[in-house]
């Protein structure tokens, strides 16, 4: 597995945990911010000093409400259980097979299983198990302090509030880096985009129409294979697992990637609509809307079936929702809003799409992806 980076989902695991054994409870991770320090073995002098530095900061972790998990592959490290009380924010996790460390890309076996290499690293993860930062162990004197400095810089978690009504969507932060967002915007500007249509049913045919009374937007279809592969990798690590967790649905395919632009010159918008109401769109399960920029006014997502709330994820962050939900893009009244758009589905839906392609009429509209493109064919470890 390639190294985990900021924005990736922390791989799930079920280790033997000293805290779990002491309390008789199952180990559950999530719902709180945490530091995962994969240190391998405290017999390494550099690691031993870093573990000690973290231990002296136990009180600060509790003040911040952040849990610390030290992960070891060395059975002799069980002596560390005596260094922290069982009810504290400190926990020791035992990975004696190395399986968890390998999932995080830190433990590599030598040829023919002889010997291992280990890269001690701290991961800071969010309440939703998204990696917020990564700190390789470079010097034993500064590692713990670097992690603590970052934890101190995090904004406090918002207080609980009562929710009256909310659309059943998921918001996923930090899917794309600022650099990738800007690259996509630059590629759109170089191309200029084309007037974007929408599909509607006309008898037994699905017709792609352009009507500025319903939708005002220009799209650039991404055809660059390397760029598509880069987007696929990010979605497979950051979007696909979240959809599977939230909706128990395994995405395997996407229907084109476009960079879309709503702009103030024509107050770009898309009236309330659903994305799967025609024969040619019945295969669509989830819509992906990933904002690329700020500096505009208006241009929010709204789900009128679920109240008047407006959704505007920050740049690089995505909204994912069922294609059956009524939704709209409100008019942009200042600036330009750039967004990456796609539709997601699985292999069974792909068969349906193949069957219905001949029923789509695209007269006067540039085709925007007519094949079933795969995101990922194997489940990540």
């Amino acid at each position: 597995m390639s190294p985990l980076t900021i924005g990736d989902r922390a791989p799930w695991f079920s280790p033997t945990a000293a805290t779990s054994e002491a309390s008789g409870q199952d180990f559950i991770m999530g719902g709180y911010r945490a530091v995962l320090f994969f240190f391998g073995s405290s017999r390494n002098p550099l690691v031993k000093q870093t573990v000690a530095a973290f231990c002296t900061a136990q009180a600060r972790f509790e003040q911040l409400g952040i849990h610390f998990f030290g992960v070891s592959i060395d059975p002799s490290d069980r002596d560390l259980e005596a260094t922290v009380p069982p009810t504290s924010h400190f926990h020791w996790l035992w990975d004696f097979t190395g399986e968890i460390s390998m999932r995080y890309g830190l433990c590599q076996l030598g040829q023919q299983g002889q010997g291992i290499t280990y890269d001690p690293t701290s991961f800071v993860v969010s309440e939703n198990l998204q990696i917020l930062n990564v700190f390789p162990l470079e010097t034993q004197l500064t590692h713990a302090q670097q992690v603590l400095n970052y934890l101190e810089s995090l904004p406090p978690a918002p207080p609980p509030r009562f929710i009256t009504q909310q659309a059943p969507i998921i918001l996923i932060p930090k899917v794309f880096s600022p650099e990738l967002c800007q690259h996509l915007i630059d590629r759109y500007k170089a191309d200029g985009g084309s007037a974007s249509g929408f599909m509607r049913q006309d008898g037994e045919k699905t017709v792609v129409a352009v009507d500025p009374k319903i939708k005002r937007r220009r799209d650039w279809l991404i055809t660059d294979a390397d760029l598509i592969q880069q987007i696929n990798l990010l979605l497979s690590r950051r979007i696909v697992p979240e959809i599977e967790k939230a909706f128990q649905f395994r995405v395997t395919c996407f229907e084109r990637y476009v960079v879309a632009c709503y702009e103030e010159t024509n107050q770009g918008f898309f009236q309330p609509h659903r994305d799967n109401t025609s024969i040619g769109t019945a295969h669509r399960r989830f819509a992906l809307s990933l904002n690329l920029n700020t500096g505009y006014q208006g241009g929010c997502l709204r789900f009128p079936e679920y109240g008047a709330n407006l959704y505007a994820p920050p740049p690089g962050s995505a909204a994912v929702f069922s294609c059956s939900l009524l939704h709209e893009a409100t008019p942009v009244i200042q600036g330009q809003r750039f967004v990456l758009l796609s539709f997601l589905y699985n292999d069974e839906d792909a068969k349906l799409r193949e069957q219905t392609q001949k029923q789509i009429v695209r007269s006067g509209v540039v085709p925007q992806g007519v094949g079933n493109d795969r995101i990922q064919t194997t489940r990540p470890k």
Side-chain angles (χ1 to χ4, degrees):
M1 178 176 179
S2 57
L4 297 171
T5 59
I6 295 172
D8 286 344
R9 293 197 55 76
W12 177 248
F13 55 85
S14 299
T16 300
T19 51
S20 301
E21 292 174 354
S23 63
Q25 299 178 347
D26 291 334
F27 170 80
I28 297 177
M29 191 171 173
Y32 48 79
R33 295 172 180 170
V35 172
L36 299 175
F37 179 37
F38 288 82
F39 60 86
S41 172
S42 65
R43 286 188 285 186
N44 180 327
L46 303 181
V47 167
K48 184 175 182 179
Q49 292 184 45
T50 303
V51 168
F54 274 125
C55 286
T56 61
Q58 290 182 52
R60 191 60 190 133
F61 275 91
E62 298 208 25
Q63 291 170 358
L64 293 170
I66 295 174
H67 288 252
F68 173 89
F69 294 85
V71 185
S72 170
I73 63 172
D74 185 350
S76 68
D77 281 330
R78 296 203 72 140
D79 293 341
L80 292 169
E81 294 176 21
T83 62
V84 296
T87 57
S88 77
H89 280 55
F90 257 58
H91 319 271
W92 305 112
L93 304 180
W94 313 124
D95 179 29
F96 299 147
T97 66
E99 178 184 353
I100 302 168
S101 299
M102 285 188 282
R103 287 189 185 185
Y104 279 73
L106 305 176
C107 182
Q108 298 85 33
L109 296 176
Q111 292 184 348
Q112 298 180 344
Q114 298 299 314
I116 63 171
T117 58
Y118 202 95
D119 301 314
T121 301
S122 287
F123 296 92
V124 181
V125 300
S126 72
E127 295 87 344
N128 199 26
L129 303 183
Q130 186 182 48
I131 295 175
L132 301 177
N133 214 333
V134 182
F135 296 89
L137 178 61
E138 295 175 346
T139 67
Q140 79 280 14
L141 298 178
T142 62
H143 182 85
Q145 192 59 52
Q146 286 176 343
V147 173
L148 284 165
N149 289 345
Y150 175 73
L151 299 180
E152 299 274 3
S153 74
L154 291 174
R161 60 189 177 93
F162 289 102
I163 299 295
T164 55
Q165 191 176 37
Q166 178 175 310
I169 73 172
I170 50 177
L171 301 174
I172 307 173
K174 298 183 178 181
V175 179
F176 285 1
S177 68
E179 294 77 16
L180 179 56
C181 290
Q182 187 59 53
H183 177 69
L184 292 172
I185 293 172
D186 292 341
R187 293 286 297 270
Y188 172 94
K189 290 181 176 179
D191 179 271
S194 303
S196 178
F198 57 92
M199 294 190 185
R200 64 185 179 192
Q201 198 63 26
D202 185 2
E204 295 183 355
K205 296 292 185 179
T206 297
V207 178
V208 182
V210 175
D211 187 341
K213 296 189 297 294
I214 295 175
K215 179 183 183 182
R216 298 175 190 170
R217 192 182 85 200
R218 295 184 68 83
D219 294 350
W220 167 60
L221 174 65
I222 300 177
T223 58
D224 182 315
D226 290 338
L227 186 54
I228 290 173
Q229 183 178 9
Q230 182 180 5
I231 294 172
N232 279 342
L233 176 61
L234 293 171
L235 264 59
S236 70
R237 295 169 70 140
R238 302 175 182 181
I239 298 288
V240 172
E242 190 67 13
I243 293 175
E244 185 169 20
K245 184 186 73 172
F247 299 117
Q248 299 188 53
F249 184 90
R250 183 70 181 175
V251 167
T252 58
C253 301
F254 71 96
E255 181 186 332
R256 95 287 190 270
Y257 296 128
V258 299
V259 175
C261 179
Y262 298 91
E263 51 190 332
E264 67 171 305
T265 54
N266 60 358
Q267 295 204 339
F269 67 93
F270 196 172
Q271 284 189 353
H273 62 285
R274 306 181 200 275
D275 288 322
N276 60 357
T277 55
S278 68
I279 293 175
T281 60
H283 63 280
R284 297 173 177 174
R285 292 299 188 97
F286 294 96
L288 168 69
S289 177
L290 195 155
N291 280 350
L292 300 176
N293 70 311
T294 58
Y296 58 88
Q297 293 183 17
C300 297
L301 270 174
R302 193 170 79 89
F303 299 85
E305 296 169 305
Y306 298 91
N309 293 330
L310 300 174
Y311 298 81
S317 300
V320 178
F321 50 92
S322 167
C323 288
S324 299
L325 298 186
L326 187 68
H327 61 286
E328 68 175 307
T330 64
V332 169
I333 58 176
Q334 182 176 328
Q336 294 176 302
R337 176 197 174 202
F338 293 95
V339 56
L340 179 107
L341 301 173
S342 187
F343 300 108
L344 311 174
Y345 50 100
N346 66 12
D347 290 348
E348 287 300 310
D349 303 316
K351 296 175 184 177
L352 174 62
R353 188 182 186 207
E354 290 174 354
Q355 296 169 3
T356 59
Q357 285 302 296
K358 293 181 179 180
Q359 295 175 274
I360 299 176
V361 178
R362 294 185 170 87
S363 300
V365 179
V366 177
Q368 294 203 341
V370 296
N372 290 306
D373 297 303
R374 297 190 64 81
I375 288 180
Q376 184 174 321
T377 57
T378 57
R379 185 181 301 267
K381 296 182 178 181

